[in-house]
């Protein structure tokens, strides 16, 4: 990244990023302007949360039908059920952490992992970055695993960027937070769902999606794991093209989330949902 005072803002100048930012903004504005949002935004937000959790779990290997997620009440048994439960809990928790994020992002990340892990992970390994020699259970992401020392340094750098704020567009900041967490895999488990929950927090907290009706997780799942990982590899490469490609990928995911919630608005307007 740039050594300027606002390195995230510098990323907005990468080829194609400004177009992605503008396209996302227009899409979000359209769904917020839907007539259903004037009276039934809470219902749209609730449905977006459910669909977002389903999408995030799907990318972590638990690709359940939406109705299965909707009807199930027990998420503590087999691994897939625990993954879906973790995604649901994180989506609910994200809204409670907005005020803390800009002051202490590392505290928020620790809380997200604690909530995701629940009782499935031994207490000593929950809510803290992994230590030297500890393994990571993240089957989807096969990129080289950074050392615990590198993780600590890069998490601190990411935290400083978030706390400092700046003029970077919300999409850029959200994509970098998401990409860094996936690249680092700082926890021993549940890094994918935590990374996507952190992206969600940035999009909401930035004011781009204050009512949480644009679930990027839906879009990431729809674009598919192969494209997700290819874009992540580009981000990890650190090349301008790779980083810009990852930001654009995250932008497409947000736009697909917007499309999903627009369909929900249309269904509510017809009285079909």
């Amino acid at each position: 990244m740039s050594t300027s005072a606002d390195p995230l803002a510098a990323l907005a100048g990468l080829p194609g990023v400004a177009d992605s930012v503008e396209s996302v903004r227009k899409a979000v504005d359209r769904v917020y302007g839907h007539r259903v949002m004037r009276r039934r935004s809470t219902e749209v937000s609730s449905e977006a949360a459910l669909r977002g959790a389903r999408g995030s779990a799907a990318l972590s290997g638990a690709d359940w039908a939406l109705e299965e997620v909707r009807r199930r009440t027990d998420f503590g048994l087999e691994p897939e059920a625990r993954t879906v439960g973790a995604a649901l809990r994180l989506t609910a928790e994200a809204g409670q952490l907005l005020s803390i994020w800009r002051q202490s992002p590392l505290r928020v990340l620790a809380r997200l992992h604690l909530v995701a892990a629940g009782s499935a992970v031994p207490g000593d390994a929950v809510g803290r970055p992994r230590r030297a020699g500890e393994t990571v259970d993240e089957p989807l992401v096969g990129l080289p695993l950074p050392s615990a020392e590198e993780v600590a340094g890069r998490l601190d750098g990411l935290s400083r960027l978030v706390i400092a704020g700046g003029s970077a567009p919300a999409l850029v900041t959200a994509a970098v937070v998401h990409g860094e967490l996936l690249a680092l895999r700082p926890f021993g488990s549940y890094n994918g769902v935590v990374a996507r929950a952190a992206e969600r927090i940035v999009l909401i907290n930035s004011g781009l999606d204050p009512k949480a009706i644009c679930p990027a997780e839906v879009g990431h799942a729809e674009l598919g794991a192969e494209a997700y990982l290819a874009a992540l590899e580009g981000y990890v490469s650190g090349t301008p093209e790779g980083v810009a490609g990852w930001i654009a990928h995250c932008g497409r995911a947000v736009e697909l989330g917007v499309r999903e919630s627009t369909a929900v608005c249309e269904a509510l307007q017809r009285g079909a949902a």
Side-chain angles (χ1 to χ4, degrees):
M1 295 182 192
S2 169
T3 57
S4 70
D6 191 356
L8 293 184
L11 298 181
L14 291 175
V17 171
D19 290 340
S20 294
V21 168
E22 180 64 16
S23 182
V24 165
R25 167 54 69 188
K26 288 179 178 178
V28 172
D29 284 349
R30 282 195 299 272
V31 72
Y32 269 84
H34 197 287
R35 61 187 301 177
V36 165
M37 288 295 296
R38 289 198 291 271
R39 295 185 179 180
R40 305 182 72 175
S41 64
T42 301
E43 294 172 71
V44 180
S45 296
S46 296
E47 189 65 21
L50 182 71
R51 295 178 186 220
R54 192 217 74 81
S56 189
L59 277 176
S60 286
D63 192 1
W64 288 13
L66 181 63
E67 291 312 313
E68 177 73 0
V69 177
R70 199 189 300 279
R71 75 171 186 82
R72 283 285 287 268
T73 57
D74 179 13
F75 297 100
L77 297 176
E78 70 273 16
E80 283 196 9
R82 289 198 296 269
T83 297
V84 174
L88 287 166
R89 291 192 299 272
L90 285 181
T91 301
E93 186 74 10
Q96 309 304 312
L97 299 172
L98 299 177
S99 63
I100 306 171
W101 174 253
R102 288 296 292 270
Q103 296 154 10
S104 184
L106 296 184
R107 181 180 161 197
V108 169
L109 293 174
R111 175 63 184 170
L112 290 174
H113 186 248
L114 181 68
V115 169
S119 60
V121 177
D124 180 58
V126 173
R128 63 159 176 81
R130 54 187 167 82
R131 297 167 182 158
E134 292 182 336
T135 59
V136 172
D137 179 16
E138 197 64 49
L140 177 67
V141 182
L143 296 169
L145 195 65
S147 68
E149 183 179 12
E150 182 179 351
V151 167
R154 285 173 63 176
L155 281 179
D156 182 66
L158 183 64
S159 175
R160 290 174 184 271
L161 286 174
V162 170
I163 292 169
S167 60
L171 173 64
V172 171
T173 303
V176 169
V177 167
H178 185 172
E180 279 293 288
L181 293 175
L182 273 183
L184 295 175
R185 283 146 290 162
F187 303 108
S189 58
Y190 294 105
N191 289 288
V193 289
V194 166
R196 290 183 288 275
E199 179 186 50
R200 179 182 185 85
I201 286 172
V202 174
L203 292 172
I204 298 168
N205 210 30
S206 66
L208 178 67
D209 182 23
K211 295 182 183 293
I213 61 166
C214 306
E217 307 96 323
V218 168
H220 286 303
E222 186 171 335
L223 290 167
E226 185 176 344
Y228 186 64
L229 294 176
L232 177 63
E233 287 180 10
Y235 175 81
V236 171
S237 75
T239 65
E241 297 80 10
V243 175
W246 170 251
I247 295 170
H249 185 87
C250 291
R252 288 193 295 273
V254 174
E255 291 187 62
L256 289 170
V258 167
R259 187 177 71 178
E260 187 86 355
S261 286
T262 300
V264 170
C265 287
E266 295 293 334
L268 287 169
Q269 186 168 282
R270 295 192 305 269

